[in-house]
């Protein structure tokens, strides 16, 4: 049974500019390469920031550089959060790789992470998503999750709330059985970063 939440697309629109990086499914390799994931997120930030020359109406080269740095920082942060989350919860038994893709459109960027999780982990994640979608105030939920983390009570998922509160990211989440490995649930996270409102 499939479950979808938020702004989820079963098939993302085609983009002329996109990049996908896949990571080994091996649990031992994941731990040994933890630092590499941050480097990969930084690479994505560097790569996509080159598409942002800045606005000629706003000023000169200094301002252009500042805008590129801002875009790079935001992309690196969001990519790193999504990647760390996908790696952390990826099922150790799964032979499938973890992937992260970025798709560049005129007004926004879509990040997509794909991984396989155990059914129990999927249920917990869906519970957190429902708490986000039903929250009357994200700042209040943020404070509650911060307190929960301080008390050592379960997963905080602070990264998702930070992306939403600080960068205005809109999320779509999809959960479905993997056709070839039905004992696992495929988690498809799509994060929309709107360029005009975020920068």
């Amino acid at each position: 049974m499939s479950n979808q939440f938020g702004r989820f697309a079963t098939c993302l629109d085609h983009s002329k500019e996109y990049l996908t990086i896949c990571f080994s499914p091996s649990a031992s390799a994941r731990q040994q390469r933890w630092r590499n994931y941050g480097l990969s997120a930084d690479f994505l930030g560097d790569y996509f920031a080159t598409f942002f020359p800045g606005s000629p109406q706003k000023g000169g080269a200094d301002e252009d550089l500042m805008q590129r740095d801002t875009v790079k920082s935001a992309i690196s942060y969001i990519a790193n959060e999504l990647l760390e989350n996908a790696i952390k919860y990826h099922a150790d038994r799964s032979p499938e790789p973890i992937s992260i893709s970025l798709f560049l459109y005129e007004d926004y960027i879509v990040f997509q992470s794909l991984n396989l999780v155990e059914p129990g982990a999927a249920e917990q994640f869906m519970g957190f998503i429902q708490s986000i979608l039903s929250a009357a105030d994200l700042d209040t939920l943020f404070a509650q999750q911060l307190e929960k983390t301080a008390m050592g009570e379960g997963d905080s998922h602070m990264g998702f709330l930070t992306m939403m509160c600080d960068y205005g990211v809109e999320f779509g989440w999809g959960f479905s059985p993997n056709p070839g490995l039905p004992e696992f649930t495929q988690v498809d996270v799509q994060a929309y970063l709107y360029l005009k409102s975020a920068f």
Side-chain angles (χ1 to χ4, degrees), residues 32-45:
Q32 291 167 6
R33 298 174 188 164
W34 193 260
R35 180 175 172 275
N36 292 356
Y37 304 131
L39 294 175
S40 300
D42 288 343
F43 167 74
L44 291 170

Side-chain angles (χ1 to χ4, degrees), residues 11-87:
C11 182
L12 288 168
D13 293 336
H14 292 295
S15 167
K16 292 181 180 177
E17 299 293 344
Y18 66 94
L19 189 64
T20 297
I21 302 176
C22 295
F23 297 88
S24 166
S26 162
S28 59
R30 289 206 307 272
Q31 294 305 319
Q32 291 167 6
R33 298 174 188 164
W34 193 260
R35 180 175 172 275
N36 292 356
Y37 304 131
L39 294 175
S40 300
D42 288 343
F43 167 74
L44 291 170
D46 280 331
Y47 181 82
F48 278 92
T50 61
F51 292 96
F52 297 88
S55 170
Q57 289 79 26
K58 288 186 176 179
D62 289 345
E63 191 162 343
D64 290 349
L65 287 174
M66 190 179 302
Q67 187 189 27
R68 275 199 294 272
D69 286 346
T70 302
V71 170
K72 173 186 168 184
S73 176
I75 292 173
S76 295
Y77 177 81
I78 294 167
N80 193 55
E81 286 294 326
L82 294 177
L83 195 51
E84 283 191 0
N85 205 55
I87 291 163

Side-chain angles (χ1 to χ4, degrees), residues 97-110:
I98 300 160
S99 70
I100 184 164
S101 302
L102 266 70
F103 302 88
L104 178 64
Y105 301 94
E106 184 175 350
D107 297 325
Y108 57 92
I109 295 173
V110 180

